[in-house]
Amino acid sequence: MVQVFTRLIPLLLLLALARPGFAAQGLAIDPATCLGCHGNKISADLMANSVHGKNGCTSCHIEIVELAKHMRGEIKVGKVQCVRCHKKEAAEHAKSIHSEKGIGCAQCHTDMHSHTYWNKDKRRVLVKCTQCHKDERGFTQSVHGKGVLAGNQDSAACNDCHNLHEIKALGDPNSHSNREFHTKVCLRCHADQKLVERNHISEVAVKSYMESYHGKNYRLGYPEKVAGCADCHTAHAILPSKDPKSSVNPANLVQTCSKCHAKGSMLFTKFYAHGEHNDREKYPILFYTFIAMTGLLIGTFTVFWIHTLLWMIRGFVENREKAAALEEGVILHHVPDGHKQYRRFKRVHVFMHLLVIISFLGLSLTGLPLKFSDQIWAKFLMDLYGGAPNAGFIHRICAGITFVYFAMALFMSIHFLFLRKDIKGNPLQRLFGPDSLCPNLRDISDVIGMVRWFFFKGPKPAFERWTYWEKFDFIAVFWGMFAIGGSGLMLWFPEFFGMLLPGWAFNVATIIHSDEALLATGFIFSVHFFNTHGRPEKFPMDFVIFNGQMSKHEFVEERGDQWARYEKEGITEKFAAKKSSGIFYDFCLKAFGFTALFIGITLLMLMIYAFMHPHH
C-alpha cells in the first residue's frame, strides 16, 4: 500500500498542475509536463540542446491535444510525420531506395529527442551508414574513409556519392544510369580544382581520363560502353596503388583489366591509364611522340596553307587577265579542237577514288566527334548515328574499305613497275619516269617554277602527267596507312597486340592516330579541296576524277609537257575518249561530289570552331 501511495503522489501533483491547462482550452501543453512521465526515457538537458529543443512535444505528437485523455489512454498516438516540417527531405526520401524498402526516418535518426545538427561532419554520416551497411565497412579503410575519420571534410563520405536522403537504387549494373554513376560521382570532387589543390591530389586524373577513349565516350553520353572510375579503382575500397590490396596495384592489374579485357596480360597492364603527354619526366615516350606529331602538323599546314594562299591570289589575278583578254577579243591560248575529250583516268581509277571519298568521309564523320567529344555538335552527331557503338561500327567498316583501296594501290604499283607492257624502261626507270607518282628531280624545278609564278617572276610550269602536289597526296597515303592504319589496328584489337607490345604502346598509338587523323582531315578538307576544286582555274569543281575525262584545251594548258610527250610519241589519239559521259551519270556524280565537298567543308568549319571554343 505504501508503494502504491508513493507512486500516486507525483501523479496527483501532476494533475493538480495540469488543471489550468484543462481550463484554458487551446494552449499548448508544456514539455515539462510531458517530461514528468517520460523523463525516465527522455533527458530534459539533451532534449533542450537538440535541434528539436525549441519545439513542444505536441509539435510532433499532434494527436495529444488533451492531457487528461492522453493520460487515461483515450488518445491513440500515431507515428510522427516528419514531412510536416521537413518537406524537402521527406520528398527526397520518398524517391529513395530506403522508402521502397520501408525504412523510415526514425530508423536512421534513432536519436530524435537528442539529435543535434551535424554541421556537415561526415564522420557522423559514416558511422550512421555502417550501422546497417556492414558489408561496406571496408570503406573505412580506404583513402576516402580514412580521410573522413581523420576529420577531413573534403574527403568523400557516403552522402557525397549516394546523397543524404535521395538514395537511389543502382539497379541493373549494365544500365546507363548505373554506369554513369560509376564516374559522375567521382567527378564531383576530382573535377573541383580548389578541392584538388588544397588536398594535394593529382590534377591530371580527370583531364587524362576525359582525353582517353573511355572518357570521351562517357562525355558523349555512352558510359555503359566503357570503363568508369569505379571499374578500375572499385567503389569503396579505394587504396593507393602502392597498397598490395589496391585494385590498381601492379600485382592486381591483370585481374582488374580482365574484367573488361578478357585476355589482359602483364604487358597489357603497362598501359598508362592517366598518362600525360605534357609530362616529360614521367612519360618521356608520350611527350616526344606528341612533339613529333605536333611538329609534323604545324610544318605540313604551314607550308601548304602558304602555298594555297599564294596560289589563290595568283590564280585570281590570272583569271582576271584572261577575262580582260577575252573582252578585247584576244585568245591567249588557242588550241585546235580544244573541246575534244581525252581520257586521263580509267574506270578503275574513278572507282578507287569513289572508295577513297566514301571511306574518308565515313571515317571523318565518325572519328571527329570522338576527337572533339567536348563539343555540342559532336554529341549531336553521335546521337544521329544512334550512339558511339554504332559510330565505331561504321568507322571500322570505312577502315576496311580503306585497306581495300590501299591493297588495290599496292597491286597497281607493282603492276606498273614490273608487268605493264606499254611503259618503257626497267623498274627503276619506270619508278622515276614521267608516268610515275614517285617524286623525282623534275619536281624540284616545278616547285621553283610555281613559286616564281606566284610572285609574277615567270610563267606557270608546263607539268607532266603528275604534279608535285599530286605526288605528295599519293605518298601521304602510304605514310597515313602506316601511321593511322597501324595505330588504328592496334586500338581495334588491343587484346591481341597487348600480348605482343607493352601497354604504353597504346598510349603512343592513341596520340599518333588522333593527330594523324587531324592532319589528314584538315589537309584534305582545306589543301586538297583547294588544289583540286577550289583554285580559281577549277572552281567550283574539277570533274575529271569522276568521269576520267578532260578537254584537249585543259590537257594542253595544265599538263603541257605530258601532251608534248604524247605528240612526240604519236599516241595522243590513243587516249581520245570514245564518247563523253552521259547526262544522268554526270548529274549523279556531280551531286555526289558536291555533297562530299559540302560535308568536308562543314567538318572543317566545325574543327576550327572546336579549336577556337574548347569546352571543359
Side-chain angles (χ1 to χ4, degrees), residues 295-325:
L296 180 64
L297 275 164
I298 294 174
T300 302
F301 283 128
T302 299
V303 170
F304 280 94
W305 281 350
I306 291 174
H307 183 275
T308 297
L309 182 62
L310 293 172
W311 193 348
M312 187 186 302
I313 296 169
R314 185 66 180 89
F316 177 78
V317 172
E318 185 180 65
N319 275 8
R320 293 292 296 269
E321 291 172 347
K322 289 179 180 179

Side-chain angles (χ1 to χ4, degrees), residues 151-331:
N152 183 355
Q153 297 305 303
D154 282 338
S155 191
C158 310
N159 61 299
D160 288 300
C161 299
H162 299 282
N163 301 320
L164 279 174
H165 298 99
E166 193 175 352
I167 301 169
K168 297 289 187 181
L170 291 179
D172 180 1
N174 297 316
S175 67
H176 175 88
S177 58
N178 185 306
R179 301 297 303 150
E180 182 182 42
F181 180 83
H182 275 61
T183 299
K184 186 176 182 179
V185 292
C186 302
L187 297 181
R188 291 177 187 172
C189 296
H190 287 273
D192 184 335
Q193 188 174 355
K194 291 182 179 179
L195 182 149
V196 166
E197 286 178 357
R198 65 174 174 261
N199 287 278
H200 308 293
I201 302 171
S202 172
E203 296 181 6
V204 304
V206 172
K207 182 182 176 184
S208 56
Y209 174 76
M210 286 303 183
E211 289 180 353
S212 71
Y213 177 78
H214 295 149
K216 288 176 183 291
N217 273 274
Y218 169 81
R219 184 153 52 187
L220 286 167
Y222 303 96
E224 65 273 20
K225 302 299 178 183
V226 290
C229 306
D231 292 297
C232 299
H233 297 279
T234 74
H236 298 101
I238 302 170
L239 297 166
S241 59
K242 294 180 181 179
D243 192 311
K245 296 179 182 178
S246 172
S247 60
V248 292
N249 181 276
N252 302 324
L253 276 176
V254 172
Q255 181 181 355
T256 299
C257 296
S258 295
K259 293 176 184 176
C260 298
H261 301 280
K263 297 180 181 178
S265 62
M266 280 302 295
L267 272 177
F268 186 83
T269 63
K270 301 298 181 182
F271 176 75
Y272 299 144
H274 291 286
E276 272 283 284
H277 60 252
N278 295 324
D279 192 335
R280 183 171 61 179
E281 293 184 7
K282 288 186 179 179
Y283 308 105
I285 296 174
L286 305 190
F287 176 81
Y288 288 111
T289 300
F290 178 74
I291 291 296
M293 291 305 300
T294 302
L296 180 64
L297 275 164
I298 294 174
T300 302
F301 283 128
T302 299
V303 170
F304 280 94
W305 281 350
I306 291 174
H307 183 275
T308 297
L309 182 62
L310 293 172
W311 193 348
M312 187 186 302
I313 296 169
R314 185 66 180 89
F316 177 78
V317 172
E318 185 180 65
N319 275 8
R320 293 292 296 269
E321 291 172 347
K322 289 179 180 179
L326 284 173
E327 286 182 8
E328 296 175 4
V330 178
I331 300 177

Side-chain angles (χ1 to χ4, degrees), residues 415-486:
H415 182 261
F416 171 83
L417 290 173
F418 301 103
L419 303 176
R420 278 183 64 171
K421 305 296 184 183
D422 59 329
I423 299 204
K424 300 176 182 178
N426 59 43
L428 189 62
Q429 290 171 322
R430 292 183 179 189
L431 181 63
F432 295 103
D435 288 303
S436 172
L437 275 160
C438 181
N440 54 34
L441 293 176
R442 184 208 163 98
D443 295 313
I444 298 174
S445 62
D446 283 347
V447 170
I448 295 171
M450 199 69 168
V451 172
R452 288 179 59 81
W453 177 69
F454 287 158
F455 291 100
F456 303 89
K457 299 294 185 180
K460 190 176 183 179
F463 294 105
E464 250 290 351
R465 180 180 174 94
W466 304 109
T467 63
Y468 61 85
W469 62 84
E470 290 168 337
K471 292 181 179 181
F472 180 87
D473 287 351
F474 182 73
I475 297 299
V477 171
F478 285 83
W479 158 249
M481 287 303 299
F482 168 74
I484 203 169

Side-chain angles (χ1 to χ4, degrees), residues 522-540:
F523 186 90
I524 294 295
F525 297 149
S526 60
V527 178
H528 180 73
F529 274 13
F530 175 83
N531 290 348
T532 52
H533 307 299
R535 53 193 167 114
E537 308 95 290
K538 291 293 183 182
F539 184 83

